[in-house]
Amino acid sequence: MKRTNFLLLLLITLISLFSINRAITAEVSNIQLNMRTYSGVDIPAGVVIPVLNMQEISTETCPEGYKTKFVSTNDLYIEDTKVIPENSEFYGYIEKINEPIVGTNASMRVKITKLILPDGYELPVKAYVYTSNDNLIGGELTPPSEWTKMPHYQTKFQKTAWNYRGPTLQIRPGGPRSMGVHTKINAGERQLIILVAPLNITHTVTD
């Protein structure tokens, strides 16, 4: 008799637990979650991003590998989607330094490897601080070390003495060029960053 009562009580308990579990499951399945949707956006290579340099970068005081930081000054849109907000941070380093020599100023190339969005989300990036000289900052030719005066004769001479045109002096570069100087980017200076590889951003709210 006791065994029968125990089995009956166990059966009732199991039925009750099953009913409660089904009720909880049904309640959870009816919950509507307001989720933000994200869509990946491809930023093609060649896109230029205006940035602000956050510290002085100099070929005289900074070695190769020196860490750099830039902050974007504008929102970047691809069609109607904001892909890189203002105040996003770009981190990189000095990839190459060429010391100044006679005839040429010092130069450097700054590579960008990481992008941090304002909410802290990080993305790897392949980019450089942009210049029209293959992204080489500096490297200009120096002026001549001296100038010489040379006579330049007129191509036409008048026969009459009062209308005669004699030679004129011209200043031309002479000798070797002067010694090059170091190159730097001042803190707070505006620069451009150019993507050298496509950048896929999936961390973008589209609606």
Side-chain angles (χ1 to χ4, degrees), residues 11-87:
L11 180 61
I12 294 172
T13 302
L14 291 175
I15 292 173
S16 300
L17 291 175
F18 180 74
S19 299
I20 293 173
N21 184 57
R22 288 189 61 185
I24 293 175
T25 302
E27 183 178 353
V28 171
S29 63
N30 290 328
I31 295 177
Q32 301 297 320
L33 298 179
N34 297 321
M35 299 181 65
R36 295 184 300 176
T37 59
Y38 293 83
S39 175
V41 177
D42 287 319
I43 306 177
V47 167
V48 175
I49 304 165
V51 294
L52 200 68
N53 181 34
M54 301 308 292
Q55 77 282 330
E56 183 179 280
I57 308 172
S58 171
T59 58
E60 184 176 15
T61 58
C62 302
E64 289 184 357
Y66 182 79
K67 305 294 184 182
T68 62
K69 177 183 177 181
F70 300 86
V71 175
S72 61
T73 57
N74 302 90
D75 295 327
L76 177 65
Y77 285 85
I78 299 295
E79 295 181 353
D80 294 329
T81 303
K82 183 195 298 184
V83 291
I84 299 181
E86 182 182 356
N87 295 322

Side-chain angles (χ1 to χ4, degrees), residues 63-66 92-97 108-111 128:
E64 289 184 357
Y66 182 79
Y93 63 94
I94 300 178
E95 183 182 55
K96 177 66 176 176
I97 291 179
M108 59 182 168
R109 186 175 281 110
V110 179
K111 186 175 185 179
Y128 283 92

Side-chain angles (χ1 to χ4, degrees), residues 70 72 84-85 87-91 114-123 125:
F70 300 86
S72 61
I84 299 181
N87 295 322
S88 295
E89 299 174 352
F90 291 85
Y91 291 88
K114 182 168 66 174
L115 164 63
I116 300 182
L117 301 179
D119 62 1
Y121 189 81
E122 295 187 14
L123 286 166
V125 61

Side-chain angles (χ1 to χ4, degrees), residues 1-16:
M1 185 66 178
K2 291 182 178 181
R3 183 176 180 181
T4 303
N5 291 338
F6 174 76
L7 292 175
L8 182 61
L9 180 61
L10 180 60
L11 180 61
I12 294 172
T13 302
L14 291 175
I15 292 173
S16 300

